[in-house]
Amino acid sequence: MKDANSSRSAHHHGSRDAFGSSFGVLVALAGSAVGLGNLWRFPYLVGENGGAAFIIIYLAFVILIGIPMLMSEFIIGRRSQANARGAFNKLAPGSRWGIAGILAVICCILILSFYSVVGGWGIEYLFKAFRFDFTRGGDSAALSSIFSDFAASSWQPLVCHTLFLLLSGLIVILGVKNGIEKFSKVMMPLLFLIIIGIAVRSLTLPGAGAGIDYLFRPDWSEVTANTFLAALGQAFFSLSLGSGMAITYGSYVSRKENIVSISSQTALADTLFALIAGCAIMPAVFAYGISPGEGPGLVFITLPHIFSQLPLGGVIAILFFVALLLAALTSSISLLEVIVAFCIEEFHIKRRTAVVLSLSILWILGCLCSLSQGMLSGWKIFDKTIFDLFDFVSANVLMLIGGLLVVLFVGWKLGRQVIHDELTNSGALRIPVWLLDTITFLVRYLAPAAIITIAVFQWI
Ligand code: TRP
């Protein structure tokens, strides 16, 4: 089976790397999905968009659009056994669909540029936690300035950002099976344990009830058109959609795996993690009277306050930032792998060369992002700093276009029969016809319609 696969996709550098086990596939995918999107982006979006109502809309998008799109990307990757661009070119030779793959690679470059800066902040905060900086009894003003002082200084964030990129590079250089899969297998279970532990601590704080109410009792009066935009954007970001991740990882998956169950399990793990992270953060936010609508700084600005007041706060701070760093790394390696797989196969270079090349470009772009928080904050394009611009263009433009192209390609270019074949592994798996038809409908009609509607609202 494996030999048949690799000879079919004969490359100039021999057989392709691949995942070694079903569990490995699941943890690698869940590792990509679970990241700063869950720990940093989700809580602050929930806070800004009124809590439970946002979560319910988000869940609906994950099920109706996220999972079918994940399956679509999987189909493209597994069927072609190639990188994001090569995949489109193989399935639709001589067409322009390859551009969709190039967009995906550009999207990953932009995301990883600022993602590694935030990952670098995570490294710095972990150092601070080990020095018990948050629990040393500084006053509130001192705690508040920790983040702004650090982010605005120049060399410290650059060192941390470099370190974060090097760590990601080290794992990716080892390859899919020996690097990405092995790392995820150990780190993902650890990550879940840590975050569950912190959630339990947070939920048992006096006054935690208000946080739970906020997370699970919807207040529909807060819902506006913007809530829908934010929820769809978050579903895309959190599931790593529209940017070639599941195409690339799917290309390392054997033809025996069940795409329907892998995709659902990935989405389930990601959603559970987001909810548990919400349970870890929101009760503490309420118990200590901090505003949930604090914005992107929620994790980095408010958590130090919380740790400083929490019994055992010093230890919890260490655990939390270990979790944040692990979550960020298992996601950054997936972003890097999209870029590296593209370079290896399209430029016919070795993995090692591809990693060095990618890291060099990412390092320069990341330095610009990092400095745009301080020294270069005056450099604005369309009234945004470089950091904000990369974030906006990737999450609000490229991922939407990429996701739209993916569902159109699978739904209309490959078509219904191919979807049924791939989801059932040519009839080997028993999947009810109503389910296949529902998925096909979501891929062909609902997902494109929803994306176009929301994009139109966003861009007008
Ligand atoms: N999903 C990850 C998170 O929640 C981030 C991520 C990894 C990502 N790969 C991606 C986002 C590809 C967009 C595209 O943190």
Side-chain angles (χ1 to χ4, degrees), residues 61-72 239 260 263-264 267:
F61 282 152
V62 166
I63 295 170
L64 294 177
I65 302 172
I67 297 179
M69 191 178 293
L70 206 50
M71 292 178 190
S72 306
L239 291 173
V260 175
S263 307
S264 323

Side-chain angles (χ1 to χ4, degrees), residues 67-219:
I67 297 179
M69 191 178 293
L70 206 50
M71 292 178 190
S72 306
E73 291 200 20
F74 247 107
I75 290 177
I76 298 177
R78 190 179 70 166
R79 201 173 168 80
S80 63
Q81 304 275 307
N83 70 88
R85 175 171 184 258
F88 284 103
N89 283 345
K90 249 184 182 171
L91 298 179
S95 72
R96 291 194 194 181
W97 282 99
I99 295 173
I102 300 204
L103 283 182
V105 174
I106 294 176
C107 185
C108 287
I109 294 176
L110 295 183
I111 295 176
L112 192 47
S113 298
F114 69 84
Y115 207 84
S116 59
V117 172
V118 183
W121 297 346
I123 294 184
E124 170 67 22
Y125 267 60
L126 183 58
F127 281 131
K128 286 191 197 301
F130 275 123
R131 291 196 307 251
F132 292 99
D133 274 8
F134 307 123
T135 43
R136 236 195 249 137
D139 61 7
S140 158
L143 284 168
S144 299
S145 62
I146 288 181
F147 180 71
S148 48
D149 288 352
F150 162 68
S153 74
S154 53
W155 65 270
Q156 231 173 324
L158 288 187
V159 172
C160 294
H161 149 243
T162 309
L163 214 63
F164 184 84
L165 272 183
L166 285 177
L167 282 174
S168 314
L170 271 178
I171 303 165
V172 171
I173 242 175
L174 293 173
V176 177
K177 191 167 169 185
N178 294 324
I180 295 172
E181 180 172 353
K182 268 205 181 127
F183 183 76
S184 309
K185 263 186 184 163
V186 179
M187 297 310 171
M188 288 310 290
L190 183 62
L191 181 54
F192 267 84
L193 281 181
I194 296 178
I195 204 70
I196 289 172
I198 298 177
V200 169
R201 180 69 202 89
S202 192
L203 288 171
T204 50
L205 286 174
I212 297 304
D213 268 7
Y214 190 74
L215 282 172
F216 297 108
R217 187 168 302 160
D219 172 5

Side-chain angles (χ1 to χ4, degrees), residues 32-33 35-38 111 115 237-238 240-241 243 331 334-335 399:
S32 170
L36 297 172
N38 306 57
I111 295 176
Y115 207 84
F237 190 86
S238 197
S240 314
L241 293 171
S243 52
S331 298
S334 76
L335 287 157
M399 285 171 79

